[in-house]
Amino acid sequence: MKRFCDSWVTLIRKLLRAGQGRPVALVVLLGLSFVNLCSEWPGNLPRPPLLDTVENIVPDSFGTARQLLFDHYQRRYPRVPSSQPVTIVAIDDKTLAAVGQWPWPRNRLANLVDAIAAQKPLAIGLDLYMPEADQTSPDKVADNLPASAAALATGLRALPSHEAILADALRATPSVLGAAAVEHAAFDTSTDLRSAPILVHGLDPIDRVKRYRYVLASLPELQAAAHGQAMLNVALEEGTVRRIPLILGLGDKLVPCMPIEMLRVVTRAAAVDVFSDATGVQAVGVADVRVPTQPDGDILLHVASIRDTQQRYVSARDVLQGKVDADRFRNKMVLVGLTGTGLTDMRTTALGELVPGIEIQAQIIETIFDGRFLQRPVWVKWAETAFVLAFGLLIIWYLPHCDSRFAAFVRAVSRATAIIGIVLNLMLFASCLLVFRYFGLLIDATAIFIILSAVMGCFFTHALLDLSAQPKRDVPFDTPAPARASAQADEPHANAPPAQTTPSGPVQRTE
């Protein structure tokens, strides 16, 4: 076993020493660049089947590091809201304590919609869905009465159902109902949704967006009454919300998500515009608003701290009791959702904050109004790859030259290599952070750092092997420094010829 290990070590040393380390460094540069490209395959290239094999063998360390870096960008410079187009009506704990537990009868929810609509909002979006009939409706109650209460049952059946009351409230105001796309069928799922038409400009992006087969939506009676239907899905990456789809695929058709559908209802547009090409979705628009997206139709979420958005929340109890100033709703987009303990789906943002799911929808709408979007277009990935390859090849060509100015500087200045490496990496991360702050571009500095550091490491390893191969004289540790230096100075060079010696013994003189 020891002989086997020694042979492998010898082979590795020979490889690292071959060509002054250049071949190994080139293999490392090309290999890591390919793995990095696989972790975020550009949308303008067809995805080869080989990528699935690479992803199963090689951990996606580049993707994880990239996400952590982009989270750091946001934590350093979170979005500061400059407008407040959204008001959230929260069905919170104090509402449940005052009004009753959830789920409410639909007529009570209709009362809440009517109270909001009286304040003239631009639109009302319900961040919830109602796929089942209300069992507290008069006709349902009548079905459970005994035969002796036939007269009471007849009177109850003459009353409108709670669904009909809620449908009237939805029809009377610009309203949008939420829905959730799901992968698997269930008792209350369906395969279609009453949604606004999608007008595609360019190639059909149905194969680029996230596609689902089933949807969990409200009853058809409620869908017909509402002015719009919207998906509430969010994209999770290791439990964190970093992106939201603006459009999704439901079967073979495109459907909008809540922020876009709210804008369509507000602007009274007939359709949602989708702009796409061979690389995927470029933008999603409504009327004169165009939102740049990723190729799969997602928008990258630039998060504002929940501390800066608390003022958008009002309690549903206060709305029902008429205690909320009308200015909180007038000319606003209102979202109604659950925030009570145990009722809401809490989400973790890139800032590490735990927020209600309805907050994510509000932040997307707010981002569209502010007009500041995070972007990572396809060309950024190609630019990063070109920079890494160009700089890596420059290192491979220049660094091994022992007569270069860089080599002379390293020999003259102690710890020069470490200092130069730290300065260059700090400049790299600082530049990417400034580009994020002022232009909203996400540049992956971690991949550049990892790949170029690995290339530099090949030459450091080669230098250490050459250093370890030089023979040294054993000088006792307690030898004084001058004597130690003298002993090392007297050490013969490995390539020097052997010293001439004279025979010992007395020297005889001849006359």
Side-chain angles (χ1 to χ4, degrees):
M1 185 65 181
K2 183 177 183 300
R3 183 177 300 175
F4 177 78
C5 294
D6 291 341
S7 62
W8 271 104
V9 170
T10 303
L11 177 62
I12 293 173
R13 286 184 174 181
K14 289 181 178 179
L15 289 175
L16 290 172
R17 286 172 175 166
Q20 295 181 308
R22 285 191 175 100
V24 174
L26 182 61
V27 170
V28 169
L29 173 64
L30 297 179
L32 291 181
S33 298
F34 176 73
V35 172
N36 178 41
L37 201 62
C38 292
S39 69
E40 192 182 23
W41 191 255
N44 57 349
L45 290 181
R47 181 180 174 86
L50 176 64
L51 291 189
D52 297 330
T53 305
V54 173
E55 290 178 352
N56 293 330
I57 297 176
V58 182
D60 189 15
S61 55
F62 283 102
T64 302
R66 184 184 308 117
Q67 291 174 356
L68 293 177
L69 176 68
F70 293 165
D71 290 350
H72 173 73
Y73 289 167
Q74 297 215 45
R75 293 176 185 183
R76 185 66 182 85
Y77 294 111
R79 183 176 60 84
V80 178
S82 58
S83 62
Q84 190 180 335
V86 180
T87 295
I88 294 178
V89 175
I91 303 176
D92 51 12
D93 289 330
K94 63 181 182 180
T95 301
L96 299 177
V99 179
Q101 66 183 10
W102 188 265
W104 288 348
R106 302 279 159 75
N107 62 332
R108 187 172 299 166
L109 185 59
N111 293 337
L112 179 60
V113 173
D114 289 338
I116 299 171
Q119 310 304 325
K120 306 300 181 183
L122 294 175
I124 301 175
L126 275 67
D127 188 14
L128 44 89
Y129 36 87
M130 296 160 279
E132 298 174 348
D134 186 352
Q135 297 301 312
T136 65
S137 285
D139 57 332
K140 301 296 183 182
V141 175
D143 293 340
N144 291 325
L145 292 177
S148 58
L152 177 59
T154 302
L156 288 173
R157 290 191 178 95
L159 297 175
S161 68
H162 290 172
E163 278 80 20
I165 296 173
L166 179 57
D168 290 341
L170 295 174
R171 193 177 294 110
T173 188
S175 56
V176 178
L177 282 178
V182 293
E183 294 282 358
H184 306 289
F187 174 75
D188 48 4
T189 58
S190 59
T191 57
D192 199 5
L193 182 74
R194 290 176 61 102
S195 59
I198 304 289
L199 183 60
V200 177
H201 303 268
L203 299 178
D204 189 355
I206 188 65
D207 294 328
R208 293 283 187 177
V209 302
K210 298 178 180 66
R211 296 178 67 179
Y212 297 87
R213 298 176 58 189
Y214 305 98
V215 62
L216 191 62
S218 296
L219 296 170
E221 180 182 2
L222 300 178
Q223 290 190 46
H227 292 238
Q229 313 290 324
M231 295 295 189
L232 300 172
N233 296 63
V234 299
L236 290 177
E237 297 172 323
E238 298 181 357
T240 301
V241 178
R242 298 183 177 92
R243 49 205 296 156
I244 299 290
L246 293 187
I247 55 170
L248 288 174
L250 181 60
D252 292 327
K253 81 171 188 177
L254 297 172
V255 290
C257 290
M258 181 63 81
I260 286 295
E261 184 67 358
M262 290 281 286
L263 288 175
R264 188 195 67 80
V265 171
V266 168
T267 58
R268 299 181 182 179
V272 174
D273 297 307
V274 174
F275 303 88
S276 63
D277 56 20
T279 65
V281 181
Q282 298 299 309
V284 176
V286 174
D288 59 346
V289 178
R290 184 178 295 191
V291 183
T293 66
Q294 298 302 109
D296 57 358
D298 288 0
I299 182 175
L300 299 172
L301 180 60
H302 194 182
V303 192
S305 174
I306 190 67
R307 295 186 298 271
D308 297 331
T309 62
Q310 284 296 321
Q311 69 276 6
R312 69 160 59 107
Y313 286 83
V314 296
S315 174
R317 183 197 66 174
D318 297 336
V319 176
L320 291 171
Q321 295 177 356
K323 296 180 180 180
V324 180
D325 190 348
D327 290 338
R328 299 294 301 272
F329 299 118
R330 188 173 293 115
N331 295 326
K332 301 276 189 180
M333 287 188 282
V334 179
L335 291 174
V336 179
L338 300 168
T339 63
T341 304
L343 296 179
T344 184
D345 53 338
M346 302 299 290
R347 303 294 187 181
T348 303
T349 69
L351 303 183
E353 298 176 337
L354 202 62
V355 303
I358 196 171
E359 172 70 18
I360 303 296
Q361 307 294 338
Q363 294 229 13
I364 290 293
I365 296 174
E366 196 172 66
T367 298
I368 295 174
F369 265 75
D370 291 346
R372 178 174 172 81
F373 308 105
L374 294 185
Q375 298 183 61
R376 185 165 171 79
V378 175
W379 66 263
V380 170
K381 186 64 179 181
W382 287 118
E384 292 170 357
T385 304
F387 175 80
V388 167
L389 291 176
F391 204 86
L393 291 174
L394 178 63
I395 292 174
I396 292 173
W397 170 77
Y398 182 75
L399 199 61
H401 286 283
C402 298
D403 56 346
S404 65
R405 294 183 178 180
F406 178 78
F409 175 73
V410 169
R411 287 193 298 267
V413 180
S414 177
R415 302 182 181 88
T417 306
I419 295 173
I420 292 175
I422 292 173
V423 171
L424 289 178
N425 285 310
L426 287 176
M427 291 176 59
L428 170 65
F429 283 102
S431 301
C432 295
L433 188 61
L434 290 176
V435 170
F436 168 81
R437 181 181 182 183
Y438 293 106
F439 301 100
L441 284 177
L442 294 170
I443 300 181
D444 185 10
T446 55
I448 301 173
F449 167 75
I450 292 172
I451 297 174
L452 295 183
S453 296
V455 173
M456 293 283 290
C458 294
F459 296 110
F460 292 152
T461 305
H462 168 67
L464 290 175
L465 288 175
D466 286 346
L467 186 62
S468 63
Q470 295 179 2
K472 293 184 178 180
R473 289 178 54 186
D474 293 332
V475 182
F477 179 77
D478 55 353
T479 305
R484 179 187 296 269
S486 175
Q488 293 177 350
D490 292 340
E491 180 181 356
H493 193 272
N495 297 325
Q500 298 295 328
T501 58
T502 56
S504 60
V507 179
Q508 297 181 358
R509 294 181 60 188
T510 58
E511 298 184 5

